[in-house]
Amino acid sequence: MANTADRVSTRGRRRSGASSLAWSILSFLVVAAITFLGLITVTFFIGRVIPIDPVLAIVGDRAPASVVAAARKQYGFDLPLWDQYLLYLTKALKGDFGNSVLSTYPVMDDIRRVLPATLELATVGTIIGLLLGIPLGVLAAVKRDSLIDQIVRVIGLVGYSVPIFWLGLMGLLVFYARLGWVEGPGRIGVAYEYSFTPITGLFLVDAILQGDWDVFRDVFRHIILPGALLGYFSMAYISRMTRSFMLNELSQEYIVAARAKGLSETRVIWGHALRNAAVPLVTVIALSYATLLEGSVLTETVFAWPGIGSYLYNSLQNADMNAVLGGTIVIGALFIALNLLSDLLYRVLDPRTRT
Amino acid sequence: MSALLTVEDLRVAFHTRTGTVDAVRGVSFELGRERLGIVGESGSGKSQTGRAIMGLTPPHAEVTARKLDFDGIDLTNISARARRDLRGDRIAMILQDPKYSLDPVMTIGRQIVESIQAHEKIGKSEASKRALAMLESVQIRDPARVYDLYPHEVSGGMGQRAMIAMMLIANPQLLIADEPTSALDVTVQLDVLRILDQLVTERGMGLIFISHDLRLVSSFCDRVIVMYAGRIVEQLKASELNQAQHPYTRGLLDCMPRLGAADRHPLPTLDRKPEWAL
């Protein structure tokens, strides 16, 4: 009897499981849309209430009043704030953030140019952080309170507390100026800068696609130092979180059971404990990736990296509000997308969230 | 009868910041191919006794024994590797609550297959065939379906059967069951016990049945050890439980309600004497 009841109820759960997946993807998208709308709204109003007159930023301080008034009318700044907002919203949803005052190009074109540079750097950093951070975190948890654990803790602490611009400058000083192992500032050497036509904007990928190994080597030598630097910070965070998730998993009863089965420690740690720890780790990794995307302003400044961080910084300094708003919204959208992705991965990794 | 397991003066101590906690303080017993029940309250050291025999004591604990002998193998003096090879293969353990003791992100079938593969070089399809057969022998009616389920998708009784299947698939000679039914509904407890009983008899295993339930242990086991504060206070045949001498055991028996007996309200409670823990 009990068995039949079990079977029926499980089957029922399975069926609703399939439709609940579709349902939850739908609700994901709705939440994402609402979040995105909120993002545009908040960004727009913050951009409008800060004491920067966008018209003056365009025409300059000393323009005659008639020019200012004409510009105000031309850009729609004479409309009520609500109308301005609706106008901005409809255009932004089509990917039109207006033109940048600084570059005179559409903001979207500028972003298309600078975003891949940041994406590439953050991706390299995250890959380095993952490859080092997870094994270190696992090791620190398994050998808790040992020398290795202490070393990992100190590495993490340094990663948290040393300012990145200082480490960046020191890195440049040692590895570029003194040792000459890597290239200096910028993404690509002058020798290749004008002959190389990017496809995706991710130079490493483009070089591989074109089979141009000289460019690849040059780009690699440019990206490795800032990438390693971001990777170090990402590693500090990931290893710390991995350690604490692993400690939690290793104290669970199923680990005792796995050992009672006679499994090897390797299998117990990597096959069972880390597999379970991977579930919350996904969120941590996504967050760390997002942090590298938005927080690379300092790195990009030190390494003269033409990414979205330095683009935003420059725009802000010049009161180029279209560029600032556009850049903020794009980064925010990336954040939302990463969150969605990690939520979906979470469901893939944890069967308990599927029912 | 040659003993399958000999334990002499087993001690388990945890060194903590606030001092040393002696969880097990000199436990000695012998076990043949029989059912031995270990009864005691929480903290009496019964579970730690079982884990020490398995070699699964936490690393910060100190385990010593004058003798810890399994089927002629001196467990105090073998490598971690050799110990691991015994685990799951010749000595196995069933844990209390399948909700926590099964890996939540791995299907039941894979967890059983993993158990076989830890000890045998065996192909995947062969291993899963044996896992299915094992699921059937713990009376799971639809093994092919349960094989693909995750632990959270089955009931407690089903989960504990899967646990039994996982631990018995390598045909161990000694099984340590650590409160195997305490987390289950009363109605399911009997089912699981019956399955356990049948498999232990069929396969001629030695069984250590750890529980806090004196009544259950006495009905299920041949012999009973009563532990209190890390020591064995009494050893007796299950059938002679009524002749228990130690005041702790007497006290335990006394506080059980009896059907048809004279009205006893309130039921007597245990009055722990400090000298028991000496």
Side-chain angles (χ1 to χ4, degrees), chain A residues 30-50:
Chain A
V30 170
V31 168
I34 293 171
T35 317
F36 185 66
L37 205 66
L39 173 74
I40 294 183
T41 310
V42 170
T43 316
F44 174 83
F45 282 106
I46 289 179
R48 284 297 179 264
V49 296
I50 57 170

Side-chain angles (χ1 to χ4, degrees), chain B residues 30-206:
Chain B
E30 278 201 352
L31 178 81
R33 299 197 179 274
E34 58 179 330
R35 296 140 197 249
L36 172 71
I38 301 184
V39 193
E41 55 195 17
S42 314
S44 62
K46 56 191 194 304
S47 286
Q48 285 307 329
T49 303
R51 294 203 176 187
I53 296 166
M54 285 298 286
L56 288 175
T57 313
H60 57 279
E62 193 189 331
V63 181
T64 53
R66 202 159 52 231
K67 195 168 174 198
L68 192 57
D69 200 292
F70 169 73
D71 200 21
I73 304 164
D74 179 7
L75 294 181
T76 56
N77 204 15
I78 60 172
S79 68
R81 173 72 216 236
R83 194 99 200 242
R84 199 183 85 209
D85 285 340
L86 284 178
R87 272 204 294 273
D89 192 28
R90 302 192 58 197
I91 311 179
M93 180 163 82
I94 292 170
L95 285 89
Q96 182 172 349
D97 193 341
K99 246 207 295 300
Y100 303 108
S101 54
L102 293 170
D103 186 335
V105 299
M106 199 184 264
T107 59
I108 285 168
R110 268 190 63 204
Q111 294 191 50
I112 300 175
V113 164
E114 200 184 31
S115 195
I116 313 173
Q117 285 175 331
H119 304 287
E120 287 176 53
K121 283 229 169 299
I122 185 173
K124 221 176 160 166
S125 64
E126 179 68 14
S128 65
K129 215 181 291 167
R130 270 184 48 196
L132 282 171
M134 192 68 216
L135 281 176
E136 203 157 3
S137 66
V138 292
Q139 295 173 25
I140 288 178
R141 257 169 243 164
D142 193 355
R145 187 184 60 89
V146 174
Y147 186 95
D148 286 322
L149 291 181
Y150 287 95
H152 72 280
E153 294 174 309
V154 301
S155 63
M158 190 95 89
Q160 200 60 313
R161 289 176 213 205
M163 181 84 193
I164 294 172
M166 182 167 94
M167 289 304 178
L168 292 192
I169 190 133
N171 248 325
Q173 285 125 309
L174 172 61
L175 179 67
I176 299 169
D178 189 353
E179 308 248 9
T181 56
S182 309
L184 306 178
D185 289 345
V186 183
T187 47
V188 184
Q189 277 186 2
L190 283 176
D191 286 343
V192 170
L193 274 180
R194 210 172 332 107
I195 292 164
L196 198 60
D197 180 48
Q198 189 193 338
L199 289 170
V200 167
T201 315
E202 268 174 16
R203 299 176 178 212
M205 279 181 267

Side-chain angles (χ1 to χ4, degrees), chain B residues 180-247:
Chain B
T181 56
S182 309
L184 306 178
D185 289 345
V186 183
T187 47
V188 184
Q189 277 186 2
L190 283 176
D191 286 343
V192 170
L193 274 180
R194 210 172 332 107
I195 292 164
L196 198 60
D197 180 48
Q198 189 193 338
L199 289 170
V200 167
T201 315
E202 268 174 16
R203 299 176 178 212
M205 279 181 267
L207 174 74
I208 297 179
F209 190 93
I210 300 168
S211 176
H212 60 263
D213 188 338
L214 192 56
R215 182 75 63 76
L216 184 74
V217 164
S218 63
S219 66
F220 190 66
C221 296
D222 309 316
R223 222 150 41 92
V224 179
I225 285 177
V226 182
M227 283 186 74
Y228 186 80
R231 282 185 201 281
I232 295 179
V233 293
E234 188 144 33
Q235 265 202 69
L236 64 171
K237 281 191 179 153
S239 52
E240 293 164 1
L241 201 63
N242 293 333
Q243 293 148 37
Q245 298 296 314
H246 195 275

